[in-house]
Amino acid sequence: MRRTRLFFFALCACLLVGTQVRAIEMLPTFGDIDHIHLPALLVQHADGDQSLQLRAQDTTYIDNAQYQEMVIATKDMVQPFYVTIHVRQWKSVPITETWYEISHSEKKPVRLQRFDSGYLPLDNGDLYLVHLHGNWAAEGVPTVERLTRGVKTIRNSDGARNAHLDAPEVMISLDGVPQENSGRVLGAALCWSGNFEIRVAATDEKGFHFYAGIDPMASEYILSPKQVFTTPHLAYTYSDEGMGGVSRAFHRWARTCGMLHNGNATRNILLNSWEGIYFDITEERILAMMNDIAAFGGELFVMDDGWFGGKYQRNSDDAALGDWVVDTRKLPNGLKALTDAAKDRHIKFGIWIEPEATNTLSELYEQHPEWVLQERGRELKLGRGGTQLVLDMTNPKVQDFVFSIVDNLLTKHPEIAYIKWDANASIQNYGSPYLPRDKQSNLYVDYHLGLIKTLERIRAKYPNVVIQNCASGGGRANYGLMPYFDEFWVSDNNDALQRVYIQWGTSYFFPSNAMAQHIGGSPYLMTGRTTPIKFRCDVAMSGRLGMELQPAHMTDEERAQCTVAFADYKALRELIQLGNLYRLVSPFSEASPFSNQQSPAVQQVASLMYVNDAKDHAVLFAYGLTSFMKQASRRIRLAGLDPNRTYTLHEKNIRVAYHHDRNAWGEGEPCELDGKSFTGEYLMSVGLDIPLSTEYNIDYPSRIFELIVP
Ligand code: GLA
């Protein structure tokens, strides 16, 4: 941590040797750089001049309980153009943030043609880049590659969401192939929800140059005189504990520095209606689902898509977005009957909305066709359901409307404790009826500034409602929006096997109390894969546990297992949701179903654990990913423990057994490790041979252990 701080402040100090020092060390600008650098800032002044030579004018420091911040005011040598450079170093977490405030008093608007959030020079070495690539239903696949000469660019052009395909967070290993718990690794996250571009350039033999910011493609920002443009923050960390150290720093920063709403709080166990009943909502079905989640010991029920609509009904994905009135044909007694029923069952109630969208088949669109993004004189490009459109969040009237959706719901039904905020469309129509013609290129940026402004209003009035960030799954898992949300839906893919992989990659940057993980049905509807209920529970239990299936279709065994899982999870919740994550054996590390190199000889496993700050309480998860007869087991070495302490293992969520005497499912037998004690040193150097053998369960075996210092 100290090393990081020194590093960044040394960088800043370069600027302080006299007031005429070039700002290039922190902010390479076009017109002031040599041929080696790419610019982080490129502008065209009102008179057509494209050069920028910033010189430090004044430096101030902020020092409070949470952070130290250096604020360097700079000005161009010729034009009345100003950039204030901010460098904030958090005290409790090894995270540094940089961002720039850009303004001018030129006679006419200035065109910002590139406006990154930060720049960092890196020495030569065997550098490896780690970034998450994925897709809908297959998020968070870590992609690891050696950095070579030339420019490596990662970008996302979805417009509205930026974490499907390529995501705005990266790690750079400075010591070759990155390791999980050793080696020097730099982590960076651009705190932005729109299009971004991250570049690592090695344009000469001297070193590498890292840049990250808003993608300037189709996004030249037209900045009026006196207007201040603040770039998104870019957060860095540095760790000599490998990728795990980087992850833990981001997790702690998210939880303790306001980057995740209510970051230090634990989350409830819920049932979401979507994969259980889809659009087929009726009061009877909802009440039955509430009964079920309450019976399992769950704490919250969330009614997903399909509850709203007036003239147009929401029976599929092609209508009614925007018409946020209860469909009384489905719910004759309104939401009140549901919130009352939740109260009777001692659970909370939550509801789904997709506020930034509408359908051509909606009363909203009929009344306000000017509220959707559209290209003048061109045919509308339609999204989901063949009718979906994105609202123009640059328009203050649309922002008011979006605010009112949440405000109306929560004013009329203050019992609503949870909102799932979805976003299922990209920006396909590149035009804002609200923005003036000469500022159309501000759209990609102003959309997100409008969204953030609206979310800020919502949070100011409703700080306590839990809001889930969903964008067709994990499409908006980013630190631009996370401060307004309590959690995010990791993926629409609930297949427990693939979830091991998706959750693994997602945990590189995001903490477990933000990661919504649900027990799905089996065979799973998207993949057809059949997985045992224990495996499904154990996979979901490593983050924010929930359930998404039709409980009415569950077997007695499944019900019994879920009841055990919920009770055990409650006892471990604080540790799982707020503990320090150590990833032990990666599903990606060797032969994996993704790399097509399965070997029947050695079982492939994935394993991770959480440890509390005092290192006297931990929980270990182990999943068998391949199962063949007579397969060699895989020893798992633990991490993050105190080598000098002795830990006793207690198996959790033990697989239920059928009790013939009682004709019922009940408690099962723990494995032989249950009750055994080992020193931390033994567990971390020798490791455990966890019974995930084929005799236990031929497909998808898994175990959870609690570790306690007696
Ligand atoms: C998106 C979400 C799902 C579900 C549906 C409802 O796809 O990711 O979880 O809410 O919308 O239409």
Side-chain angles (χ1 to χ4, degrees):
M1 179 166 116
R2 262 180 80 210
R3 211 184 293 176
T4 328
R5 190 173 303 172
L6 281 175
F7 171 66
F8 283 103
F9 275 93
L11 196 66
C12 302
C14 303
L15 285 172
L16 303 176
V17 195
T19 50
Q20 290 301 302
V21 170
R22 282 152 46 117
I24 189 170
E25 285 80 1
M26 299 201 66
L27 177 52
T29 58
F30 188 80
D32 207 16
I33 46 177
D34 45 45
H35 64 286
I36 297 163
H37 285 83
L38 300 174
L41 191 54
L42 162 61
V43 307
Q44 184 170 31
H45 297 281
D47 63 3
D49 169 21
Q50 284 202 292
S51 274
L52 194 56
Q53 295 169 293
L54 296 174
R55 297 294 177 265
Q57 304 286 301
D58 181 35
T59 303
T60 49
Y61 299 90
I62 301 168
D63 195 350
N64 60 32
Q66 290 180 297
Y67 55 79
Q68 285 174 293
E69 190 171 313
M70 181 182 278
V71 183
I72 307 158
T74 72
K75 181 190 168 299
D76 181 51
M77 290 179 84
V78 175
Q79 305 275 5
F81 187 94
Y82 312 92
V83 177
T84 306
I85 301 171
H86 291 258
V87 184
R88 176 180 293 173
Q89 174 65 56
W90 289 89
K91 288 185 175 170
S92 60
V93 205
I95 294 266
T96 303
E97 294 174 26
T98 66
W99 70 97
Y100 309 125
E101 278 168 358
I102 306 169
S103 63
H104 68 90
S105 50
E106 298 184 24
K107 295 212 164 54
K108 285 201 217 133
V110 168
R111 310 177 86 82
L112 306 186
Q113 294 169 325
R114 177 176 286 283
F115 36 105
D116 280 335
S117 293
Y119 158 76
L120 197 64
L122 297 167
D123 283 344
N124 269 325
D126 193 13
L127 269 52
Y128 274 73
L129 180 70
V130 184
H131 56 106
L132 299 180
H133 179 84
N135 209 329
W136 171 77
E139 290 87 343
V141 182
T143 307
V144 182
E145 58 200 284
R146 178 180 256 147
L147 286 168
T148 53
R149 302 289 112 182
V151 183
K152 170 76 190 175
T153 304
I154 299 168
R155 53 199 301 281
N156 195 310
S157 308
D158 180 280
R161 300 93 45 93
N162 70 7
H164 279 147
L165 304 179
D166 290 303
E169 302 87 21
V170 298
M171 294 191 204
I172 297 176
S173 162
L174 307 178
D175 299 319
V177 176
Q179 303 299 315
E180 189 52 50
N181 287 313
S182 62
R184 298 175 305 149
V185 182
L186 200 80
L190 183 72
C191 309
W192 183 239
S193 56
N195 294 347
F196 69 86
E197 195 174 85
I198 293 175
R199 293 165 294 156
V200 189
T203 34
D204 73 345
E205 71 294 342
K206 289 191 184 127
F208 290 83
H209 306 272
F210 176 83
Y211 307 80
I214 290 175
D215 183 1
M217 189 194 75
S219 263
E220 199 171 84
Y221 201 83
I222 312 300
L223 190 69
S224 299
K226 311 276 184 235
Q227 190 185 348
V228 179
F229 183 82
T230 305
T231 68
H233 291 204
L234 173 63
Y236 294 106
T237 191
Y238 164 84
S239 173
D240 50 16
E241 288 179 24
M243 295 191 294
V246 167
S247 300
R248 287 186 289 280
F250 275 113
H251 298 172
R252 192 174 287 271
W253 174 66
R255 289 179 177 126
T256 60
C257 300
M259 292 312 291
L260 169 66
H261 186 73
N262 267 332
N264 263 330
T266 55
R267 277 55 168 149
N268 289 137
I269 304 173
L270 62 83
L271 168 65
N272 177 296
S273 67
W274 180 243
E275 293 191 352
I277 55 175
Y278 295 105
F279 296 101
D280 298 333
I281 285 178
T282 63
E283 188 174 297
E284 200 189 347
R285 288 191 188 120
I286 294 294
L287 294 183
M289 288 181 115
M290 282 191 198
N291 286 342
D292 287 316
I293 187 66
F296 294 140
E299 299 150 325
L300 166 69
F301 172 77
V302 181
M303 180 166 66
D304 209 280
D305 198 352
W307 61 269
F308 53 92
K311 175 175 162 191
Y312 297 98
Q313 258 197 304
R314 183 81 174 159
N315 290 330
S316 73
D317 58 8
D318 63 357
L321 287 176
D323 303 345
W324 301 105
V325 289
V326 179
D327 185 343
T328 46
R329 291 151 291 198
K330 296 180 180 177
L331 300 168
N333 300 305
L335 293 182
K336 176 86 171 65
L338 305 184
T339 54
D340 283 352
K343 204 166 166 196
D344 290 346
R345 288 157 181 77
H346 307 290
I347 56 172
K348 294 176 189 162
F349 183 80
I351 199 161
W352 180 95
I353 51 174
E354 190 177 351
E356 301 153 68
T358 189
N359 296 107
T360 49
L361 301 175
S362 73
E363 292 176 70
L364 179 73
Y365 183 63
E366 284 173 356
Q367 285 155 16
H368 289 291
E370 78 286 6
W371 278 7
V372 303
L373 293 179
Q374 52 198 280
E375 293 154 346
R376 211 178 283 232
R378 295 184 194 274
E379 208 174 307
L380 284 171
K381 287 160 217 131
L382 300 165
R384 191 181 184 204
T387 58
Q388 188 159 333
L389 291 164
V390 177
L391 296 180
D392 182 1
M393 290 301 293
T394 70
N395 183 343
K397 285 198 181 125
V398 174
Q399 294 166 17
D400 287 347
F401 169 73
V402 170
F403 173 79
S404 78
I405 299 168
V406 175
D407 197 35
N408 290 342
L409 272 173
L410 295 179
T411 309
K412 279 194 210 127
H413 303 284
E415 307 80 10
I416 292 177
Y418 178 106
I419 286 176
K420 175 174 174 180
W421 179 304
D422 217 331
N424 289 310
S426 319
I427 293 182
Q428 289 178 282
N429 299 290
Y430 187 77
S432 157
Y434 172 76
L435 289 174
R437 297 208 82 170
D438 58 358
K439 286 197 171 176
Q440 286 292 309
S441 59
N442 289 9
L443 168 59
Y444 275 143
V445 172
D446 282 354
Y447 182 94
H448 291 274
L449 296 180
L451 172 61
I452 287 167
K453 213 165 153 191
T454 312
L455 288 164
E456 273 168 358
R457 270 173 83 187
I458 291 171
R459 275 313 187 188
K461 188 157 177 193
Y462 301 105
N464 295 327
V465 65
V466 174
I467 312 185
Q468 182 187 75
N469 169 0
C470 175
S472 314
R476 273 185 170 170
N478 61 58
Y479 279 113
L481 292 183
M482 208 68 83
Y484 311 100
F485 291 91
D486 300 75
E487 59 173 38
F488 63 95
W489 182 219
V490 174
S491 177
D492 272 357
N493 187 344
N494 237 350
D495 174 305
L497 176 64
Q498 197 166 350
R499 270 293 185 129
V500 171
Y501 294 81
I502 294 172
Q503 291 165 188
W504 191 272
T506 305
S507 81
Y508 277 23
F509 297 96
F510 300 104
S512 50
N513 58 338
M515 288 174 53
Q517 308 183 171
H518 296 176
I519 301 163
S522 176
Y524 183 59
L525 50 104
M526 279 188 201
T527 56
R529 198 191 318 275
T530 301
T531 45
I533 184 64
K534 173 163 161 60
F535 185 75
R536 280 180 275 146
C537 290
D538 287 358
V539 172
M541 282 171 79
S542 70
R544 197 282 277 136
L545 175 65
M547 158 181 273
E548 190 156 335
L549 42 66
Q550 171 52 288
H553 298 160
M554 289 168 81
T555 62
D556 290 346
E557 180 191 359
E558 289 176 323
R559 290 173 165 269
Q561 191 71 62
C562 285
T563 310
V564 174
F566 283 17
D568 284 356
Y569 183 82
K570 283 181 189 167
L572 293 169
R573 170 164 33 203
E574 205 166 309
L575 188 57
I576 295 171
Q577 292 195 10
L578 306 177
N580 302 307
L581 170 69
Y582 288 84
R583 288 178 297 256
L584 305 174
V585 184
S586 168
F588 293 99
S589 61
E590 29 189 322
S592 90
F594 285 176
S595 67
N596 246 341
Q597 293 169 21
Q598 285 186 56
S599 153
V602 183
Q603 184 173 37
Q604 199 207 330
V605 301
S607 181
L608 56 106
M609 65 188 287
Y610 295 98
V611 186
N612 69 351
D613 285 342
K615 293 181 187 271
D616 60 5
H617 196 194
V619 57
L620 169 69
F621 295 84
Y623 310 112
L625 306 178
T626 56
S627 297
F628 296 98
M629 289 304 292
K630 301 297 169 202
Q631 207 173 21
S633 64
R634 161 95 198 225
R635 193 166 268 272
I636 294 171
R637 286 194 292 142
L638 279 53
L641 300 172
D642 180 341
N644 300 317
R645 279 167 139 162
T646 299
Y647 297 85
T648 305
L649 267 60
H650 300 278
E651 189 173 356
K652 293 288 155 186
N653 194 29
I654 295 167
R655 189 180 177 210
V656 293
Y658 192 72
H659 295 260
H660 291 277
D661 49 338
R662 285 187 265 139
N663 264 342
W665 290 90
E667 70 284 1
E669 283 290 312
C671 72
E672 63 269 20
L673 285 176
D674 185 62
K676 297 251 162 62
S677 298
F678 305 91
T679 62
E681 186 175 7
Y682 179 91
L683 291 167
M684 294 194 287
S685 56
V686 181
L688 290 172
D689 210 348
I690 296 176
L692 295 170
S693 74
T694 52
E695 280 97 69
Y696 162 66
N697 188 344
I698 185 72
D699 270 332
Y700 309 112
S702 55
R703 300 273 184 191
I704 300 177
F705 296 96
E706 181 179 18
L707 281 78
I708 300 178
V709 173

